[in-house]
Amino acid sequence: MTVGSHVIVVTGTDTGVGKTVATSALAVLARTRGRVAVYKPVQTGTSIGDGDAQEVRRWSGIDTADVGAELSEPLAPVTAARREQRQLPSLDAHVRTVQELAATHETVLVEGAGGVLVALTEAGEGVAEVAAALDADMVVVTRAGLGTLNHTALTTEALRSRGCRVRGLIVGSWPTQPDLAALCNIDDLPRVTGAKILGRIPEGIDSLPVTEFRDRAPEWIDTVGWWV
């Protein structure tokens, strides 16, 4: 990485927890620090040029959206690639791409696919291996309701066992009227994971106009103490 560049890898406890929204909000914050790129190692279930990386760019207005492999089947990356007789990029290829982006951008956001152990390469490496190879900060996106403590604890444990640095958690789709489970999770997540909560992103924000999303994003995530 070049001096001054910051790579943040965003992963989640599962698919559908709000990684793309969280990445978009982080991208809005990063824009105040210079040029921003988002890299998605693998996108599945999308047409070419119309996936999560492009959504991040649309919501945040960042400079660059890059994708390692785009696959049309809505399946796990390795399975989708085999069905389409495609070869996924290697771990080295993912790392090189991020390093190239870091040479021309102050911040690079890498958004994983599905949960933390989803394989992104034919050799079975996932987002944790990408982050470890880059010595990057990791942010974990999790849910608000029941099951969150177990899933998030397992995710952070898996990341740390692979040499990753977990900077904190973002709770996606935070309900307008949180129930007892959601409120208790806010108290208990730091205790069971050893990671602080960086923010809560309200549910339904995908219905906001883009300009309002960008205006409000700084309200949702606290960057004090970890953001370089």
Side-chain angles (χ1 to χ4, degrees):
M1 254 65 68
T2 58
V3 175
S5 63
H6 189 191
V7 177
I8 303 170
V9 178
V10 181
T11 189
T13 55
D14 199 355
T15 188
V17 296
K19 293 189 300 295
T20 299
V21 174
T23 303
S24 298
L26 286 166
V28 172
L29 298 175
R31 286 183 68 201
T32 66
R33 293 163 168 80
R35 285 173 53 83
V36 183
V38 63
Y39 177 62
K40 183 85 173 180
V42 182
Q43 291 185 162
T44 64
T46 64
S47 57
I48 300 300
D50 184 26
D52 291 342
Q54 291 78 18
E55 278 293 286
V56 174
R57 186 175 187 179
R58 183 176 72 85
W59 280 105
S60 64
I62 60 172
D63 306 284
T64 305
D66 203 350
V67 181
E70 296 183 90
L71 303 162
S72 60
E73 297 276 10
L75 300 168
V78 172
T79 303
R82 289 173 181 168
R83 284 179 60 87
E84 296 180 31
Q85 298 183 333
R86 299 266 304 279
Q87 187 75 29
L88 293 174
S90 66
L91 175 62
D92 286 344
H94 291 310
V95 171
R96 282 196 304 272
T97 299
V98 175
Q99 290 173 333
E100 289 168 3
L101 291 169
T104 54
H105 297 78
E106 279 68 38
T107 304
V108 182
L109 297 163
V110 181
E111 183 188 334
V116 69
L117 296 184
V118 171
L120 302 178
T121 71
E122 297 292 340
E125 293 112 340
V127 69
E129 284 74 22
V130 173
L134 292 164
D135 190 29
D137 288 326
M138 293 206 73
V139 172
V140 177
V141 183
T142 187
R143 301 185 192 276
L146 288 173
T148 292
L149 295 181
N150 184 61
H151 293 159
T152 313
L154 289 172
T155 297
T156 53
E157 182 178 329
L159 290 172
R160 292 185 179 116
S161 71
R162 289 162 172 79
C164 296
R165 181 172 60 250
V166 180
R167 285 299 190 182
L169 315 172
I170 295 175
V171 181
S173 297
W174 180 254
T176 304
Q177 296 182 315
D179 60 14
L180 182 60
L183 293 171
C184 288
N185 284 341
I186 295 300
D187 292 332
D188 293 337
L189 276 168
R191 175 178 57 80
V192 301
T193 66
K196 72 175 183 177
I197 296 176
L198 303 176
R200 288 172 272 181
I201 298 180
E203 63 184 353
I205 58 87
D206 51 354
S207 63
L208 292 178
V210 168
T211 52
E212 186 176 350
F213 180 93
R214 296 176 188 176
D215 287 343
R216 293 183 57 190
E219 304 171 8
W220 304 328
I221 301 174
D222 180 8
T223 60
V224 175
W226 70 278
W227 190 285
V228 177

